[in-house]
Amino acid sequence: MANHKSALKRIRNNETKRLRNRYQHKTTRNAIKKLRNAEKAEAEKLYPSVISMIDKLAKKNIIHDNKAANLKSKLTKHVAAL
């Protein structure tokens, strides 16, 4: 158990941030799956919002920058091929 007030606060903050990160990451993964299974018109509508979500995750270090770049590249190719 933590001995300092600041350590207790750090534990609370870490839990809050962990839950927020999990929610954002899962929401983005679901959006990517939805985009991959969509028809061309719907995929083109979803594409900008999904790319934005990926960029936000990378900016906050929830996912690595290179992973974000790879995801964006693959999604771009997928939408273009539809």
Side-chain angles (χ1 to χ4, degrees):
M1 188 63 200
N3 291 319
H4 297 284
K5 270 180 119 174
S6 60
L8 292 170
K9 182 177 179 181
R10 175 61 56 198
I11 290 168
R12 289 195 309 269
N13 284 343
N14 286 343
E15 180 65 12
T16 305
K17 288 175 185 174
R18 183 182 71 87
L19 292 174
R20 186 182 309 122
N21 289 343
R22 279 183 60 193
Y23 172 78
Q24 290 174 343
H25 198 181
K26 186 66 175 174
T27 305
T28 304
R29 285 200 307 259
N30 287 338
I32 290 169
K33 286 176 192 169
K34 188 175 178 185
L35 175 68
R36 285 192 174 130
N37 294 329
E39 299 297 322
K40 180 147 180 82
E42 189 184 355
E44 286 176 343
K45 242 189 263 179
L46 289 171
Y47 178 74
S49 63
V50 173
I51 295 299
S52 174
M53 292 167 91
I54 292 170
D55 284 336
K56 285 176 188 170
L57 290 182
K59 182 180 178 185
K60 295 176 185 172
N61 289 322
I62 297 171
I63 62 173
H64 196 276
D65 289 340
N66 290 349
K67 180 178 176 69
N70 288 336
L71 282 171
K72 286 165 50 177
S73 172
K74 287 177 184 172
L75 289 175
T76 304
K77 281 184 185 177
H78 176 74
V79 171
L82 289 177

